[in-house]
Each structure stands twice: as structure tokens, then as C-alpha cells.
Amino acid sequence: MSTEEHPAKKVKLEKIIGTHNGTFHCDEALAVFLLRRTRDYAGAGLKRTRDPAILDTCDIVVDVGGVYDEKTQRFDHHQRGFQEVFGHGFSTKLSSAGLVYKHFGKEIIANRFALDETLPKIETLWLKLYKEFIESIDAIDNGISQYPTEVKPRYRLRTDVSSRVGFLNPAWNESVDAQTVDAKFLQASAMVGGEFLNRLDYYANAWLPARDLVVAALNKRKEADPSGHIILFEQFAPWKEHLFELEETLAIPEAEKPIYVLYPDETANNWRIQAVPIAPESFESRKALPERWRGVRDDALSQLSGVEGCIFVHASGFIGGNKTKEGVLRLANLALKI
């Protein structure tokens, strides 16, 4: 007697993700990619349909079905009354991408780096990826403008990831048979998913280590000057974005916020002093370098300031240079008092 199990008795092993067929969008393309990065849905099959009977056979359904229910693994956002947001200060209505990321994002990030999901850095990355990558996909899919509709754009932006996914749909005069569209959907899912992973890798491997350096420098800033107004980095790190976020997180009093940042310019083998701007994208400084130093260079600047080794101070006063760490620290100390 054959030991092969009768086909009718075989247990379904492959889990199935369901989403709608027809024209696809960035949100469900990313949602499907993300689900396949989880433990439960790694290697899952995919059914693209609007047939409720077929969707009922799926283990999880995204962007179709009119139901949001984590217990039954249904993640649609089109139904009347749906107002789910990510929370944590974000107020944009979620799409299927945001829903999946909200529930599975920490697991996906932890899996990527083989880390414990409960580590603080996982939550930091989870929030950062939502802010920088997922939220705009949610907003675009839900028709939420980035700015008031009465403001006329100066140019068209059609190179964002949501637009690029949309352009992968067949044109009106191309074949729209299910096999062709499904193949293009998988192409779109791989594209947006690859960009998600690239962004995640950058934030984990470059952005987060820079943040750790800024945290350390902030905690030690009173060693550079008792006022706390000077931050000294022993190695260069992108600091602006982190500084403003951490000032808020650490509740640094206004009177103790940094005014000058000092760091080595490793390519030129000298040091820089930079005035902290009033906002990350602003050209206005909290306290620019002294007006009488601006636009002066080399020996003339050293004589004027009384600090040896000066190289320059920019005409706007936002940055200057000296040959040594001691030199930029002396310039910062003097600038605070002028």
C-alpha cells in the first residue's frame, strides 16, 4: 500500500495573503511586501481578487473587504467611519501600508537585524521609518494634501514612490489580463519594498549611530563649557536633525541649549565651529559668530580674535575654522561672551 497521503487529506501549509485585483497602489504593494518579512507570512502566497468568497479563504487580507480587525487579520481602510492613525504624535489617516506597519513593523525591523523586538532602538527606528517613509504613502493613498489646497504648487512632483508604483500599472492601451497585472504588481511590491529596506538599513547603520554620538555629546557638553552652550564632537557626525529632536526629548531648558557645535573636519585636517540654527532648515543662527570676525581670514582673523591658528569665519557668521580643537574651543568661549 502506498504511504502517500491522499490529496484530500493534505493540510494547507502555505498561508495566503489577499488583496484586491485590478489597478494597484503603493500602499497594498508595500503591505504585501512587509507581511512577507514577518514570521507568520514569510513565503505566503498571494490572491488578488475582490470576490468575498475567495478573500474569506485567505489568512490575512489587506486594502479590500471593508474590515479592520487585527484578531481576524483584516486590514482595510476604505470603510465608512475608519479613522485609525499611527499615534505617537502622527495624525495622518492610515492606509493598508500604515496598518500593516503599525501592527507588524517592530517585528519586521527586529527580524532584519536579528534583534530583540523590545529593544528601545527598535521603537526609535519604527517611529523614524513611519515619519520618513510610510506616512506619505498613507497620506497620498487617502487623498490628504501635504499643504493647503488653496496654495498652488510651483511644480509637479511625480517621482515619489507612490507615483512610481502607479506608473507600473498597464497603460490604457496595454493588456490588462490578470496574469500581466499580477506580474506588474509583484514588480511594484519588490520596488517599494526594496526602497523600504534600503531606508531602514540607512537609519539603522548610519542615522542611529549618529544619534548615539549626539546623545553622548549632549550629556558631556558641560565639560566643554559649564553653560552647556558648546557641544564638542571628537569625530564628525550629522548632528542637526538629532539635536533638535533630542533637545525636546531630554527637555533641555532654553537657557542651557547649545549655541555652538565643534567638530573635526577630517578631510581638511582642521576643526570647525558652527552656530546652531534656530530650526533644522533655517539659515538664521541662535547666536552667529561675532560680526567683527565675519569675512576675515587666516592671520588677520587670529590677530583680531586673539586666537592662534584661525582659518576663516563665514561672512554670515554661521561657521568658522581653526587648525586645532583648542582653537575652535577658544573661539566658542569668546563668542559666547561677545
Side-chain angles (χ1 to χ4, degrees), residues 1-5:
M1 180 182 293
S2 172
T3 59
E4 184 176 350
E5 187 177 8

Side-chain angles (χ1 to χ4, degrees), residues 109-134:
I109 294 168
N111 289 348
R112 178 70 169 172
F113 304 109
L115 294 173
D116 187 329
E117 191 176 324
T118 62
L119 288 173
K121 67 169 59 177
I122 298 298
E123 173 141 343
T124 299
L125 289 170
W126 179 62
L127 294 172
K128 183 64 173 175
L129 262 292
Y130 185 75
K131 178 181 180 180
E132 303 292 351
F133 194 84
I134 306 288

Side-chain angles (χ1 to χ4, degrees), residues 214-241:
V214 178
V215 170
L218 269 172
N219 289 334
K220 294 172 61 178
R221 70 190 187 282
K222 291 190 177 181
E223 294 179 14
D225 188 87
S227 68
H229 291 323
I230 299 173
I231 293 181
L232 175 64
F233 289 105
E234 294 293 344
Q235 68 179 92
F236 174 77
W239 54 267
K240 278 187 190 177
E241 176 188 353

